[in-house]
Amino acid sequence: MNALSSAAESSGDGIIDDPLFARIAADIYDTGYSVIRGALPATLTTLLSLSQAQLKKRDYSEAGIGRLAEHQTLSTIRNDEVCWIDGSTGGGKAWLNWTEGLRHYLNCHLFMGLFSFESHFAHYAPGHFYKRHYDAFKGRSNRVLSVVTYLNDDWQQDDGGELVLYQNNDDNRGVRVLPETGTLVVFLSEKFPHEVLPAARHRFSVAGWYRVNDSLNGRVDPPR
Ligand code: OGA
Ligand code: MN
């Protein structure tokens, strides 16, 4: 752990929201995933929505799959567009602060050793999707915990665009989640295949990944 992140750990930086964090931790411990409707504080979803709404077409880029040298864009697998969050917008800053609080909580209570976090806004235009995939493969990624939240008011069943979270490779039913504002989904990245069904409306989400520190033999991973 570097000096910066250890300072953040000990000062308990971030908004501490214990009952919610406790519920997420208990769910992760029990089942490996957590789906909570109306989880995010309204101030946070409002700030995120404002920042997302201010993004221009040029702020987004075509989403890709794979990492570093293997990174490629494959529109048969996914065709959303993404904008990485760097804390330069009010919503982005509030989200990074909140997820930092959750990181701290999970490290303290589940000893997960979560080291860093990366996150983006995503926009799925009508008809767009993200086919069934894992966010991480053992030994090939340091993403360990995925977090997704949504910025869509009054999302109806007919609007499609559900996240389907499968329990394992053999599960074809899954748990369906409507991408409604405030809903929070957290799951172990290597354990749960999942997909985004085509939406009938514009669909906005924020996805993020906690990473462990895999730096080894002079190779810095995650890259800085
Ligand atoms: C992802 C992802 C889910 C969603 O970006 O990897 O699975 O519901 N997103 O937007
Ligand atoms: Mn995913």
Side-chain angles (χ1 to χ4, degrees):
M1 185 179 300
N2 65 27
L4 244 180
S5 61
S6 64
E9 298 275 7
S10 54
S11 69
D13 244 0
I15 306 155
I16 298 304
D17 189 357
D18 272 303
L20 176 57
F21 291 169
R23 181 165 162 201
I24 297 165
D27 285 348
I28 298 295
Y29 184 82
D30 290 342
T31 63
Y33 77 98
S34 181
V35 178
I36 304 177
R37 295 184 57 184
L40 286 203
T43 46
L44 179 55
T45 55
T46 303
L47 285 171
L48 278 170
S49 293
L50 281 172
S51 294
Q52 185 282 316
Q54 280 166 4
L55 294 179
K56 304 278 187 303
K57 184 78 197 149
R58 65 171 180 275
D59 297 323
Y60 283 105
S61 47
E62 212 177 311
I65 52 173
R67 62 190 304 241
L68 301 177
E70 294 169 20
H71 183 91
Q72 46 183 315
T73 53
L74 270 187
S75 58
T76 50
I77 296 178
R78 70 185 295 189
N79 44 23
D80 56 322
E81 50 180 10
V82 305
C83 174
W84 289 94
I85 294 175
D86 59 10
S88 63
T89 65
K93 203 175 289 169
W95 170 244
L96 294 180
N97 197 31
W98 190 85
T99 52
E100 176 64 11
L102 177 60
R103 186 182 77 84
H104 184 240
Y105 190 96
L106 295 175
N107 281 349
C108 288
H109 293 81
L110 298 183
F111 308 108
M112 290 188 74
L114 306 175
F115 177 76
S116 64
F117 183 70
E118 59 184 346
S119 186
H120 60 51
F121 290 104
H123 167 227
Y124 293 74
H128 285 188
F129 54 80
Y130 192 165
K131 294 263 172 74
R132 183 171 171 140
H133 65 281
Y134 284 96
D135 283 348
F137 292 95
K138 251 197 180 64
R140 289 190 44 207
S141 165
N142 48 19
R143 289 179 171 179
V144 288
L145 191 69
S146 304
V147 186
V148 190
T149 193
Y150 303 100
L151 305 171
N152 310 290
D153 291 342
D154 305 315
W155 196 272
Q156 307 295 321
Q157 206 92 40
D158 292 349
D159 294 328
E162 289 144 310
L163 167 71
V164 191
L165 195 64
Y166 300 100
Q167 297 298 306
N168 53 52
N169 258 337
D170 304 323
D171 181 10
N172 286 311
R173 256 162 50 94
V175 173
R176 288 178 172 236
V177 182
L178 288 183
E180 174 75 14
T181 300
T183 295
L184 182 75
V185 183
V186 185
F187 57 94
L188 296 174
S189 306
E190 288 174 353
K191 218 177 150 201
F192 296 90
H194 55 282
E195 72 178 308
V196 177
L197 300 177
R201 302 170 35 183
H202 289 278
R203 176 193 194 271
F204 298 97
S205 60
V206 181
W209 299 271
Y210 291 102
R211 307 189 290 193
V212 291
N213 185 1
D214 270 349
S215 303
L216 197 65
N217 300 332
R219 185 181 57 106
V220 180
D221 189 13
R224 290 271 144 204

